[in-house]
Structures are given as C-alpha cells and as structure tokens.
Amino acid sequence: MSLIKGLVLLVLIHIPITLSAYQENTERNHPGTRWGHVLVYDHLRDQLVLFGGSRERGSYLNDTWIWKGHKWKEMHVEGPSARGFCAVTFHKERHTIILHGGRGNDRITNSDTWEWNGSQWKQLEDKGEYKADHHQMVYVDKEKQIIAYGGWNGKDVIGDTWIWNDTWKKSDEISPPKRASFGMVYNHTIQKINIFGGLWVNGQYADLWERINGKWQAIGGPYDNSSLDHHAMIYDEKLKTVIGFGGKDYRRQMQNKTFNIHNDQIITLTQEGPSNRHSFGFTYNSKEQLGYLYGGKIYEDNNQIALGDFWKWNGSEWTKIE
C-alpha cells in the first residue's frame, strides 16, 4: 500500500470515531431531553439530583445526574431500574434522598424503595405493599417521617395515605378522593401538606386539600379553581408560599402559568418564562432560595416531544440557564 493510500484510509477510519466520541461526550455533559423524571434538592450536599424519565413513549431511562457548581455531572452508578413518574423527597433525619415506585418499561408499576447518599443508590425495600406511579411524597419535619399519597397501582387510581418509617404502612386516616398526576408539596412555615388538582379515571380535579397534624381537610371546592394535572409545585421559602407551574387543563391544553396558593385560591403570577409543558422536574434550592425546573413534554401534531431546557425561579421571574 502506498503512503498516500494509507493516509486516505486512516482519515476515513478516523473521522467516524472522532464524531462518535464527540457525540458521546456531549451527551454525558447534559441530561438531555426527557419527561417524567424526578428532580430533587439534596440539602446536605447542596446539589440537585435528577433521575430517570423518558425521551419517547414507553421507553424509560435509569441514569442519575447531579447539578452543582453550575454544571451537570452524570453519576455512573447502579441503582433503580429504568422508570419515570416516581415519588421522591429528601429525608432530613437520614440526610439522604428517598425514591419510591414509578412506572417502568412494559408499563410495570414498581413498589420498591431506594436511597441516594450522594454517591450511590441502595435498595431499602424490594417489593413493598405500596405500589404506585404518578404519586407524590414529602418529608414532614414535625412527624420526622415521609407521607405519600395517591397514584396509579397498575390497575386503578388509588387514594390512600401511606407513611414511611423504614418501611411502608398504610394510614387509616380519611384521605382526599383518589387521584394521580397531582401537585403536592410541604409548607415548612406552617408545617402542612398542600395538594392541588390531579386525575382520576373519569375526570380531572380543581380542588385544594391540606394535611395538618395528621388530618386531611378540603380547603377548596371541586370547581373553585381551574382543573389541572401533570403540573408540579414547590414551597418558595423566600416568599413563604406554594409556587406551581405548568400542567394541562381539562382540554388537554399545555399550560405555562406560574401560580401560587393565596387565600385558598390558585392565583396566576406570570406567564413569562418556560414554555407550555407538563411532566417536568421542579425543586427548590433552600440555600440559594431558587426554584429549578428541567425538561418536560409537549405535543406537536399529536406527537410527544421531550424538552431539555433548564430554568431557575428567583421569586419574581424566570431565567433560562441552558
């Protein structure tokens, strides 16, 4: 083989390898587009943790990412199986993130419980009694335990309240009507849980509920607010109020409203910021006093499109990060 032919062959072989490596490194520096993932703030390590979700219908991910120092880092660790629509919260006594359930590939609803300690996942329970996806859970400071509610158990929408204290136990308290894909958040100032909206088999909710001292009570009628599902809410410690965003209404129209709960009503604050979407990650960094929102899903020509943009909320306006 001549020197010229050898060089040409080397170039032809080398170019695809270089492009492939570039694409791989680009992907590793950013979680990419997705919906149905969880995004939660790690209070001890001052970082955001993102897990799972989906880029296309019926195909879930199992990757773990952290956001710290204004950059993303993928954590190449073993952990929960591929899934989306899990419930997640930071446990202030254990100083770890607890993750439960979620929908896996083949539409399997999980019942396992996992713990993230900042560097690795540990399975705490394999097959628990509480099986759910599209549910929510929060850590309640006063009770020093996790409260979870609702979701889809693989066969039906459910409306039970569950308590986690090293293992799951169904509470005998009277709970709100069964629902999934609702907004739920813990108000640290007055130590109560707020629930807004959601879906059940035959409709959509517009009601508000709160849980104080182990008791649920309705604070808004079924038609007091605009119905909503697949939205998310945080507790803004600077404003001392619950902040919600996005979701879809009863006409399945994507929303881009940022709202709060004021005098037991849903009040729109702004429609400037992230575009219309649902099934995104939303969490609050208490050190920075900023809300962070990542990704989500929209519909275009009846196709589901995953988003990968990243935003922060400072209490009055949104700023796009990347």
Side-chain angles (χ1 to χ4, degrees):
M1 181 184 293
S2 69
L3 178 60
I4 294 177
K5 289 183 177 179
L7 288 174
V8 171
L9 180 60
L10 178 62
V11 170
L12 290 174
I13 294 174
H14 180 69
I15 287 176
I17 295 174
T18 303
L19 290 175
S20 175
Y22 172 79
Q23 292 168 346
E24 184 177 341
N25 289 336
T26 299
E27 182 65 21
R28 286 180 178 175
N29 291 332
H30 193 283
T33 60
R34 66 186 65 206
W35 72 75
H37 50 289
V38 290
L39 181 68
V40 60
Y41 176 59
D42 185 328
H43 293 254
L44 179 64
R45 300 160 191 89
D46 187 31
Q47 60 191 21
L48 307 185
V49 179
L50 183 152
F51 172 79
S54 177
R55 293 196 176 101
E56 58 185 54
R57 187 169 185 175
S59 180
Y60 289 100
L61 306 165
N62 67 339
D63 49 347
T64 303
W65 294 78
I66 61 170
W67 168 264
K68 187 173 184 178
H70 305 289
K71 63 181 180 180
W72 286 105
K73 178 183 178 181
E74 184 174 8
M75 307 297 287
H76 297 281
V77 293
E78 296 294 325
S81 58
R83 67 188 69 190
F85 301 104
C86 316
V88 67
T89 190
F90 182 80
H91 196 296
K92 291 187 178 179
E93 289 290 305
R94 300 171 70 100
H95 304 294
T96 58
I97 290 168
I98 306 296
L99 180 147
H100 173 260
R103 178 171 297 182
N105 293 320
D106 299 323
R107 300 183 67 84
I108 294 174
T109 299
N110 294 289
S111 62
D112 50 351
T113 303
W114 292 78
E115 180 176 55
W116 172 256
N117 67 2
S119 60
Q120 61 184 5
W121 288 102
K122 177 184 178 181
Q123 188 176 62
L124 302 179
E125 195 169 14
D126 182 11
K127 295 182 180 180
E129 291 186 49
Y130 184 30
K131 178 188 289 189
D133 58 62
H134 292 80
H135 56 312
Q136 296 286 339
M137 67 188 197
V138 297
Y139 178 79
V140 178
D141 299 340
K142 186 176 180 179
E143 301 175 34
K144 295 183 179 180
Q145 59 190 8
I146 292 174
I147 302 297
Y149 165 77
W152 171 264
N153 67 5
K155 296 180 180 179
D156 195 9
V157 177
I158 53 179
D160 302 313
T161 299
W162 288 78
I163 297 172
W164 190 82
N165 237 331
D166 297 330
T167 189
W168 287 104
K169 180 181 179 182
K170 186 190 293 187
S171 173
D172 58 3
E173 60 197 83
I174 299 174
S175 303
K178 60 184 183 179
R179 69 191 68 203
S181 304
F182 49 93
M184 177 168 147
V185 67
Y186 179 61
N187 182 327
H188 298 274
T189 303
I190 52 180
Q191 299 186 14
K192 74 175 180 179
I193 298 173
N194 282 111
I195 280 180
F196 168 53
L199 286 171
W200 65 299
V201 175
N202 295 318
Q204 187 182 49
Y205 289 105
D207 54 348
L208 279 166
W209 287 78
E210 66 180 18
R211 183 183 183 273
I212 302 179
N213 297 324
K215 294 183 178 180
W216 289 103
Q217 62 179 357
I219 58 172
Y223 307 109
D224 287 354
N225 304 285
S226 297
S227 59
L228 201 64
D229 66 72
H230 285 86
H231 51 296
M233 304 192 304
I234 60 171
Y235 180 68
D236 189 320
E237 295 179 9
K238 182 166 61 177
L239 298 180
K240 290 183 169 43
T241 187
V242 173
I243 298 292
F245 177 81
K248 55 187 178 68
D249 63 15
Y250 70 98
R251 294 179 177 175
R252 299 181 61 82
Q253 296 296 312
M254 303 296 112
Q255 302 294 303
N256 70 335
K257 296 177 182 177
T258 303
F259 61 85
N260 73 347
I261 299 177
H262 181 70
N263 292 333
D264 300 337
Q265 294 287 320
I266 301 299
I267 307 298
T268 299
L269 300 177
T270 180
Q271 289 184 262
E272 299 293 328
S275 59
N276 302 37
R277 69 190 65 199
H278 72 78
S279 302
F280 47 89
F282 195 23
T283 192
Y284 187 78
N285 182 321
S286 56
K287 183 177 181 180
E288 297 179 333
Q289 294 192 317
L290 294 173
Y292 284 91
L293 183 151
Y294 190 92
K297 176 167 64 172
I298 58 173
Y299 296 110
E300 288 185 358
D301 299 325
N302 294 322
N303 294 317
Q304 301 183 53
I305 308 297
L307 303 173
D309 48 345
F310 192 29
W311 295 78
K312 62 182 178 181
W313 164 259
N314 67 4
S316 60
E317 62 183 0
W318 291 95
T319 302
K320 191 174 183 180
I321 302 172
E322 56 184 32

